[in-house]
Amino acid sequence: MTLELRNVTVRTRGTISPVSLKNLDIRIEKRDRVALLAPPNSGLDLLVDVICGRDAPESGRVIRGSSISWPIPNKSFFHKHQTFVANARFIARLYEVDQNTFISRVLEMAELAEIAEERVDHCPAKAASRFAFALGACLPFDIYLFTSTNVGEKEDREKYGEIIAGMGARSGLLIATSSGKAAQSYCEKAFVLDPAGAVYYDDIDEAIEHLQRISKRAEEAAEEELLPAEEDRVFDDF
Amino acid sequence: MLEDLKTQFNVLKALTIHNLQGQMSSYKYGFAWMLLEPVIYIVGFRLMRQFFGNLAPPSGMTPLMFYILGVLPLYLTFAGIRGFSVGASQSALLAFPRVTPVDLTLAAALTSFCIYFVLFWIVVLPVSLYEHVWPPENILKVMLGLIAAWMLGVAFSFSISGAFRVFPPVKQFVSYLSFGLRVASGMFFCITMVPILVWPYLSWNPLLHVTELMRDGWFESYVSPIASPTLVMEWIMGLLLLGLSIERFMRRVPYL
């Protein structure tokens, strides 16, 4: 029961500065709590798409031997003109679970009972964020895939943090993030997505150090790219 | 195996209902717009007949039903064809690991079938009663025509969605093709209204066979000299085989 990426290469397309991640070999067991760490805009979203099957890799294979969630808390599939209940019903149908039980669990976890029959676009974004989280958290998966662990308002963070930790105790967690803090809170292992390939760490702190190093390098490279453009502009103005 | 089939069925059901709920959500009057477009066509053809006598249907076929049986099956086909962009685009729903592009294309096709099937009977029932041509001579033939029209659209959409993914301007060619098919598929004529000389050329078009099947099945007085369910099935099978083969190849290709 694993999720495995064998020699996977992904590359962004249709962008001015393409990003590629090459020769990724990643294996995640059922109860692993693993972070995928990469600096911002370095192809992590693309890798998440490949993991959940939304996109195909340039080369290599993705083997899903376990049930894996969609990227939580993804909200892009919501029908915003519909109510929270109608959106939850769609997920219940899709994952073949009892609708009433699922909906009541989701509403309870997201604390939305009072506005359950309101249109999603008429409600605060934080409510939608809690709802998106609860939709995934109330379903049984072997591996939960997270793209953000910041759910709801600041005062809700502790509650949802405990829920994520609970999910990690009974199933696998895969947190794709650029934030070392989120990885440190929930994960015990990490893969750092270096341009040279995925580097595996047993020690999460070492992984975070590596992430900070490559993030700094990426920032410096971005600044260097910007500098000539600035000079050109001054020259053009002159 | 049965469990997998049940899951597949439930995924399609969930996606179809999701599509139906999202249909026309940006328009104030929702489904009213879906009804409006074919009705405008039917009324337009009916008015043209007032001015051009030679557009009159052969004896025994009532004018409004004649146009309805030409227009609505073609709408079903074109709605199916439009599904090509669904399969070719990177939908947000693909983030669910159990949803594949084939599921999305099939769900889009089922959505259009639900809409136009209901629309067909909503329009046909009162009009056929008004024109005294109810009930149809052979309702099975009419149903076969409707399902064949839909399946042709779905099969065609599978065939072109692969090309659309790697070469988006294909969309433009599809709109030219749709225009050509609208004109040549018996929307406002039946085969006995055109010179016998051109029958061999026109009868290559499977959509013309579909409209002929519909009119043959509905009117007692009309027996189509060309309608062939076998030819329509051959087209469907051929296009499906081609389309699904392309899809199988394209699922390994990253989106642009």
Side-chain angles (χ1 to χ4, degrees):
Chain A
M1 300 289 268
T2 53
L3 169 71
E4 196 177 347
L5 276 71
R6 275 192 204 159
N7 205 19
V8 163
T9 296
V10 293
R11 183 168 65 89
T12 54
R13 286 160 174 253
T15 50
I16 296 168
S17 46
V19 175
S20 61
L21 296 167
K22 288 176 188 163
N23 309 323
L24 302 175
D25 281 304
I26 295 174
R27 186 183 167 90
I28 295 157
E29 300 293 336
K30 193 182 169 187
R31 296 219 167 192
D32 280 355
R33 283 173 290 163
V34 183
L36 283 178
L37 297 172
N41 307 319
S42 61
L44 191 58
D45 293 343
L46 188 62
L47 186 63
V48 167
D49 281 351
V50 167
I51 287 173
C52 63
R54 191 166 177 239
D55 206 347
E58 291 280 324
S59 63
R61 286 183 68 194
V62 179
I63 301 158
R64 296 180 201 89
S66 325
S67 66
I68 182 163
S69 75
W70 64 91
I72 302 169
N74 180 7
K75 293 184 273 191
S76 57
F77 58 87
F78 283 4
H79 271 331
K80 289 184 181 159
H81 66 286
Q82 288 206 303
T83 64
F84 287 107
V85 170
N87 279 290
R89 190 162 279 132
F90 163 63
I91 298 294
R93 277 193 204 107
L94 190 63
Y95 281 90
E96 301 167 289
V97 290
D98 180 66
Q99 291 184 23
N100 293 334
T101 318
F102 177 71
I103 291 168
S104 57
R105 279 189 66 198
V106 167
L107 295 178
E108 190 188 340
M109 186 183 282
E111 297 170 1
L112 290 173
E114 284 174 14
I115 52 169
E117 294 293 346
E118 288 290 327
R119 282 170 60 132
V120 174
D121 56 359
H122 288 178
C123 295
K126 294 286 177 191
S129 148
R130 293 200 305 268
F131 178 65
F133 170 81
L135 284 176
C138 289
L139 285 171
F141 290 108
D142 293 331
I143 296 174
Y144 289 89
L145 171 60
F146 282 92
T147 47
S148 169
T149 52
N150 291 335
V151 181
E153 307 280 353
K154 263 188 182 168
E155 55 268 25
D156 300 326
R157 299 277 155 82
E158 198 180 329
K159 174 191 164 183
Y160 291 107
E162 279 171 19
I163 294 174
I164 296 172
M167 289 155 74
R170 61 174 192 276
S171 304
L173 278 187
L174 178 57
I175 300 182
T177 179
S178 303
S179 146
K181 203 176 161 192
Q184 214 162 21
S185 309
Y186 305 107
C187 302
E188 53 202 12
K189 303 169 189 173
F191 287 92
V192 180
L193 304 179
D194 199 279
V199 184
Y200 174 71
Y201 286 96
D202 266 335
D203 184 341
I204 196 78
D205 294 322
E206 282 179 29
I208 291 166
E209 272 175 34
H210 186 164
L211 172 70
Q212 283 165 347
R213 272 200 310 275
I214 56 172
S215 298
K216 201 174 168 191
R217 226 163 40 214
E219 275 171 29
E220 283 167 2
E223 275 170 21
E224 275 170 25
E225 269 178 31
L226 278 176
L227 277 175
E230 289 285 324
E231 282 166 10
D232 287 348
R233 205 164 62 205
V234 172
F235 184 73
D236 285 346
D237 289 348
F238 178 74
Chain B
M1 176 76 176
L2 278 177
E3 276 299 303
D4 291 344
L5 273 176
K6 195 179 153 206
T7 300
Q8 181 65 49
F9 174 77
N10 284 327
V11 167
L12 285 178
K13 184 175 123 187
L15 293 174
T16 306
I17 295 172
H18 186 73
N19 284 347
L20 281 168
Q21 288 172 337
Q23 201 85 32
M24 300 288 178
S25 57
S26 50
Y27 293 92
K28 198 169 180 184
Y29 299 106
F31 284 95
W33 290 111
M34 310 228 62
L35 183 70
L36 199 66
E37 204 184 340
V39 166
I40 286 172
Y41 261 99
I42 292 159
V43 172
F45 289 141
R46 182 70 183 83
L47 288 173
M48 274 165 68
R49 186 186 161 250
Q50 297 291 105
F51 301 106
F52 306 104
N54 57 353
L55 274 178
S59 60
M61 288 203 263
T62 54
L64 274 175
M65 276 305 289
F66 175 80
Y67 293 123
I68 287 169
L69 295 172
V71 170
L72 286 176
L74 291 187
Y75 260 84
L76 203 50
T77 306
F78 292 126
I81 291 176
R82 279 196 294 274
F84 78 90
S85 58
V86 175
S89 60
Q90 205 179 11
S91 161
L93 292 167
L94 288 174
F96 296 105
R98 57 169 49 192
V99 176
T100 64
V102 177
D103 296 329
L104 291 179
T105 311
L106 285 177
L110 282 168
T111 306
S112 56
F113 183 78
C114 293
I115 292 167
Y116 284 100
F117 185 78
V118 172
L119 190 69
F120 177 80
W121 290 109
I122 287 175
V123 175
V124 150
L125 265 172
V127 173
S128 61
L129 286 170
Y130 169 72
E131 291 192 322
H132 306 293
V133 282
W134 177 262
E137 188 212 355
N138 184 349
I139 196 159
L140 286 180
K141 209 180 250 185
V142 174
M143 294 296 287
L144 175 75
L146 277 179
I147 292 170
W150 172 68
M151 286 190 74
L152 268 171
V154 177
F156 194 66
S157 79
F158 270 119
S159 308
I160 49 179
S161 69
F164 178 63
R165 261 184 68 179
V166 289
F167 187 60
V170 162
K171 196 176 182 179
Q172 204 56 39
F173 293 104
V174 173
S175 58
Y176 299 146
L177 184 74
S178 297
F179 177 75
L181 284 174
R182 268 175 220 266
V183 174
S185 301
M187 241 185 187
F188 53 87
F189 67 91
C190 63
I191 195 76
T192 53
M193 291 162 75
V194 294
I196 219 162
L197 200 67
V198 293
W199 285 16
Y201 307 106
L202 284 179
S203 58
W204 272 96
N205 178 0
L207 286 176
L208 181 63
H209 288 261
V210 168
T211 50
E212 288 289 305
L213 269 175
M214 297 288 291
R215 285 168 182 150
D216 188 326
W218 198 281
F219 296 108
E220 268 180 52
S221 58
Y222 184 65
V223 178
S224 170
I226 62 150
S228 161
T230 321
L231 182 125
V232 177
M233 288 304 145
E234 282 166 4
W235 268 96
I236 292 171
M237 299 304 283
L239 284 171
L240 265 182
L241 185 68
L242 174 71
L244 290 173
S245 307
I246 293 173
E247 193 283 328
R248 194 169 169 73
F249 174 75
M250 290 305 291
R251 72 174 67 159
R252 280 170 273 163
V253 177
Y255 285 90
L256 284 175

